[in-house]
Each structure stands twice: as C-alpha cells, then as structure tokens.
Amino acid sequence: NAGAAAYRLELFRGDRRILAARTTRAAFTLRSSWRYQGKVNQLQPGVYRWYVWPISGSGKQALRAIVQSRLRVG
C-alpha cells in the first residue's frame, strides 16, 4: 500500500485469533510453528481467515483492512 510504513496482520482459525503481528515489509513469512498469547500454534488442515491493515508513518492504523482473505490448508 503506497505510503504505508508498516502492516498489521491477523490470522484466525474459526473465531479464534491465532496470530497478530506487525511488519515493516509488504510480505510476511509464517514459520512452521509460532507462539501467540502463550500458546504454540501450527497450521493444521482447515479454513483460516487473514487480514492486513496498513499503518501510516505516524503510527495510525487504517480502519479498514486492505486484505480480507481465506486460506484453506489441506
């Protein structure tokens, strides 16, 4: 997104958020496992939702996500 200084990414399995991250790049590499709120998570078969919000240079996060997508892991 033009003008974005960073991005906020959130990943959900069902209604449960399993990842929230901030990156300064327009790309994010998800590791094979990660810790979120004290719990170790991994991608397992199922449907996931993910969202990305741009963050301006002043630190303000956009109100609307620029990515709203689904991911199916088989």
Side-chain angles (χ1 to χ4, degrees):
N1 191 25
Y7 299 90
R8 178 170 173 82
L9 165 80
E10 293 186 5
L11 178 66
F12 291 81
R13 181 176 23 228
D15 291 335
R16 192 168 61 91
R17 184 171 50 196
I18 60 172
L19 175 71
R22 183 177 171 142
T23 181
T24 57
R25 300 184 55 193
F28 185 83
T29 301
L30 186 63
R31 297 178 183 211
S32 60
S33 66
W34 66 93
R35 185 175 297 276
Y36 178 69
Q37 293 188 336
K39 183 176 181 190
V40 175
N41 292 282
Q42 297 179 338
L43 286 181
Q44 299 173 355
V47 177
Y48 296 80
R49 292 177 295 119
W50 62 288
Y51 303 89
V52 178
W53 292 266
I55 300 172
S56 71
S58 66
K60 185 175 180 180
Q61 179 177 305
L63 296 177
R64 295 188 61 177
I66 58 171
V67 174
Q68 298 179 22
S69 191
R70 293 176 64 153
L71 168 68
R72 179 176 298 277
V73 175

